[in-house]
Amino acid sequence: MIVFDLRCKKEHVFEAWFKDSAAYHEQVEAGVVRCPVCGSSRVEKALMAPNVATRRQNKEPAQAESDQSSAPMGEVIAPAASPANSLQAQGSVTTNADLEKVTEVMRALTELRENVERECDYVGGDFAEEARKIHYGEREPRGIYGESSDEDAKALEEEGVEFARVPWVPRHDS
């Protein structure tokens, strides 16, 4: 991922994240990068300050690396009220506040996944069947997780089986 400071024709400056420099050029040429303030698609790179390491940063490289690695980036899709918000949700345009919110949500979802995997039994595609057996007392109560179709989930709901659908964050340990 690469971040650029961009400026629109009305001089609004904002940050935008791209897969690489080629993705930036493709999106700008296609007119999909828009100013989050005025919606203008006439944007260009703004002057950016280089990231210069200070002595304090040099003394604590392990801490800086762990801070960065604990904030995995992933695709987040959210409802949008405007074209600018839609682009932000798709990862084309973002602000520091948006990035902080996404990072916080991703950390929480990653922690939730780790807890579920540590504390519960994986039952794969047999989730609905196993959940029913536990609900009706045919199996010892225990935490389980796995996959189910929308139809199975609806049927479980109608039967009063307690479960939750959780957005599963992909691993970023490669």
Side-chain angles (χ1 to χ4, degrees):
M1 295 293 283
I2 186 168
V3 64
F4 292 123
D5 282 343
L6 302 179
R7 179 181 34 246
C8 75
K9 67 179 182 175
K10 293 185 179 179
E11 300 296 317
H12 300 125
V13 177
F14 57 98
E15 284 186 345
W17 289 77
F18 300 91
K19 177 181 176 187
D20 53 31
S21 188
Y24 160 77
H25 290 290
E26 289 172 16
Q27 291 181 29
V28 168
E29 288 173 15
V32 297
V33 179
R34 296 185 176 273
C35 173
V37 178
C38 67
S40 172
S41 63
R42 288 183 44 200
V43 299
E44 61 184 20
K45 290 181 187 175
L47 186 61
M48 295 175 56
N51 183 7
V52 179
T54 64
R55 286 182 185 243
R56 183 170 186 263
Q57 288 172 323
N58 288 337
K59 289 181 181 176
E60 301 170 2
Q63 180 63 35
E65 285 177 16
S66 69
D67 288 349
Q68 290 173 359
S69 66
S70 65
M73 295 300 297
E75 185 172 313
V76 177
I77 299 175
S82 69
N85 288 342
S86 175
L87 289 171
Q88 286 176 342
Q90 295 172 17
S92 298
V93 179
T94 188
T95 64
N96 282 339
D98 293 334
L99 183 58
E100 288 173 14
K101 289 176 189 173
V102 169
T103 300
E104 182 181 327
V105 169
M106 294 299 289
R107 280 185 184 153
L109 289 172
T110 299
E111 185 178 317
L112 175 62
R113 178 179 183 147
E114 290 169 357
N115 288 338
V116 167
E117 288 176 336
R118 183 176 51 251
E119 302 294 327
C120 301
D121 294 329
Y122 178 70
V123 296
D126 296 332
F127 178 81
E129 182 181 332
E130 287 295 313
R132 278 189 187 92
K133 288 178 181 177
I134 292 170
H135 178 75
Y136 293 113
E138 298 171 20
R139 292 256 205 270
E140 260 323 287
R142 70 189 198 283
I144 61 170
Y145 70 103
E147 296 84 33
S148 71
S149 66
D150 289 337
E151 295 80 25
D152 284 341
K154 185 176 180 178
L156 289 174
E157 244 177 42
E158 290 170 357
E159 291 177 50
V161 177
E162 290 186 28
F163 71 99
R165 292 190 128 181
V166 179
W168 212 239
V169 179
R171 294 184 192 280
H172 294 284
D173 50 337
S174 57

